[in-house]
Amino acid sequence: MKHRPLPHLAEALERRAEQNLLRVPPPRLASSRTFCANDYLGLAERPLSETAATAPGGAGASRLVCGDTDAHGVLEGALATWIGLPKALVFASGYAANVGTLATLLQPSDVVFSDRANHASLIDGMRLAKAQVVPYAHNDLAALESAMTDHAPGPNGRRWVVTESYFSMDGDGPDLPPLRALCDETSSLLVLDEAHAIGVFGAEGRGLADAKGIAPDVFLGTLGKAIGAQGAFVAGAPELIAYLWNTARSFVFSTGMSPALALHAADNVRRVRAGDALRERLHRNTARLREGMQRLGCTIHGHGPIVPWVIGEESAALERARALLEAGFHAQAIRPPTVPAGGARLRITTSAAHDPSDVDAFLAALEKVLSR
Ligand SMILES: *Cc1c(COP(=O)(O)O)cnc(C)c1O
């Protein structure tokens, strides 16, 4: 077939390139040299286990048609037990989970308060819903409270608060107990995206809500980060999960997760729960990296294995990333619209897959790059 050129797209891409905003997949390096993965516990490199490989590779249909298998039940049972909530439902990805869940839960007369740094999948889910969306300053509970006073829901409407517990690009999060208290005082429902927190923080890696002793109304977790597989889940009350089975369009109108992958993810959940040694290794590497970067004079933010080094200009961030790549290390430059304009950064992450000597080698390369 002879392709038909699309000059307006070629022009748009040229404009992006001129602004240093063109995106292309970088080369994949060994995990010892990769400092931007979300594979916090080093589980992503595991090939499918033998048990997983006995299950069908494909579901064959949406789970509501004929794609529902025992493997899905095994994974959802394991997730609900781990997180400590009654039920869980798996989606093909975190993007699909957030878009489908928010689009169906938020009603036209509702008001949803959204942290300004929320992930694109949360933003897109809120855009699909007809509710009024009120963004508030990142992690700022006083700003949230005053936004709540200014924006009342419509007749029979509800208030919702949507936030991540550990922000993917900032390595920080809201103070959860006062946030939960504010939600209770204002009869607001709390949607908490723990994509980067599960596996990493808390007992058995249950995440920050559990670690801080609060329960969100809607819990979102991904399987593609510390769990090292692919997919995502929502956990909560039985009626929440039954409602999503019926109404979340990204679930209903989408092929069920691969059963083999579901068993693989369930196996990895077992490893994550028993993974205190991996978490200790991760947090030791994190401390080493953060101390080293501070010693080199880098302005870094947050806490934990996501280490944002905010540089500002897109071109400067790209240049730093390019120089590190020349030195054999991959730390991805993150540019708008993933982060706000002027907030280009290197988002550096550590993993239990790193040896302390890998962290030292990265710091040595960074020191050279900084002295250029
Ligand atoms: C990565 C991420 C998602 C999307 O998850 P995928 O499974 O990669 O689609 C959702 N929310 C947050 C906060 C994320 O960082």
Side-chain angles (χ1 to χ4, degrees):
M1 199 186 299
K2 190 171 177 320
H3 84 280
R4 303 179 60 89
L6 296 165
H8 72 290
L9 299 185
E11 274 162 36
L13 289 168
E14 253 165 57
R15 274 194 299 280
R16 282 190 160 236
E18 281 159 16
Q19 296 168 312
N20 283 314
L21 293 175
L22 198 63
R23 295 176 179 227
V24 289
R28 177 139 167 145
L29 305 185
S31 55
S32 60
R33 300 240 144 192
T34 302
F35 281 77
C36 51
N38 304 317
D39 181 22
Y40 301 113
L41 300 182
L43 292 174
E45 300 273 340
R46 277 192 73 232
L48 286 190
S49 64
E50 268 172 46
T51 342
T54 60
S62 163
R63 289 175 64 192
L64 287 158
V65 177
C66 59
D68 193 35
T69 68
D70 291 347
H72 296 112
V74 167
L75 174 57
E76 286 166 349
L79 290 167
T81 306
W82 174 39
I83 298 302
L85 288 165
K87 290 272 182 197
L89 180 67
V90 295
F91 288 73
S93 72
Y95 186 88
N98 281 344
V99 167
T101 300
L102 292 176
T104 183
L105 290 179
L106 307 175
Q107 299 301 312
S109 49
D110 294 355
V111 187
V112 53
F113 301 91
S114 168
D115 188 293
R116 277 195 188 280
N118 273 340
H119 190 265
S121 58
L122 296 166
I123 293 173
D124 292 357
M126 291 184 268
R127 279 187 187 154
L128 267 181
K130 306 274 182 309
Q132 185 192 359
V133 181
V134 180
Y136 65 89
H138 181 49
N139 289 335
D140 188 338
L141 297 190
L144 170 59
E145 189 168 6
S146 88
M148 283 176 159
T149 327
D150 293 348
H151 299 270
N156 301 317
R158 286 181 184 76
R159 285 190 178 86
W160 298 80
V161 175
V162 174
T163 183
E164 296 173 35
S165 65
Y166 183 53
F167 277 83
S168 58
M169 297 299 143
D170 303 274
D172 59 11
D175 194 354
L176 291 174
L179 174 61
R180 178 72 262 184
L182 178 59
C183 289
D184 290 343
E185 283 157 26
T186 54
S187 305
S188 306
L189 293 150
L190 177 60
V191 178
L192 193 65
D193 183 338
E194 295 239 55
H196 292 269
I198 57 166
V200 170
F201 298 113
E204 294 189 351
R206 277 193 295 267
L208 285 167
D210 182 76
K212 303 290 178 188
I214 69 135
D217 299 284
V218 180
F219 182 105
L220 293 147
T222 57
L223 303 172
K225 284 154 188 169
I227 315 298
Q230 186 166 20
F233 64 99
V234 174
E239 54 275 24
L240 167 69
I241 301 307
Y243 189 79
L244 294 178
W245 268 95
N246 280 274
T247 64
R249 293 170 67 86
S250 62
F251 175 81
V252 175
F253 299 105
S254 189
T255 300
M257 182 186 199
S258 155
L261 193 59
L263 284 191
H264 181 67
D267 193 44
N268 276 3
V269 166
R270 258 199 309 281
R271 285 164 200 269
V272 168
R273 292 186 70 171
D276 281 345
L278 292 176
R279 274 183 287 279
E280 269 165 38
R281 204 172 139 89
L282 168 68
H283 293 308
R284 267 203 308 273
N285 285 338
T286 296
R288 202 175 184 93
L289 178 71
R290 284 185 171 272
E291 279 160 28
M293 288 189 70
Q294 261 151 358
R295 204 168 51 235
L296 294 176
C298 299
T299 311
I300 56 173
H301 296 288
H303 66 97
I306 297 172
V307 185
W309 173 28
V310 177
I311 292 172
E313 280 294 310
E314 284 95 55
S315 55
L318 280 176
E319 181 42 40
R320 295 301 201 200
R322 220 173 271 138
L324 278 167
L325 201 55
E326 270 166 34
F329 289 94
H330 186 197
Q332 186 74 355
I334 309 286
R335 294 163 284 167
T338 311
V339 292
R345 67 198 63 187
L346 262 60
R347 173 187 178 270
I348 299 162
T349 60
T350 47
S351 165
H354 293 142
D355 269 330
S357 64
D358 298 329
V359 177
D360 292 345
F362 174 81
L363 288 167
L366 182 61
E367 185 166 18
K368 282 215 188 90
V369 165
L370 286 168
S371 66
R372 296 218 309 207

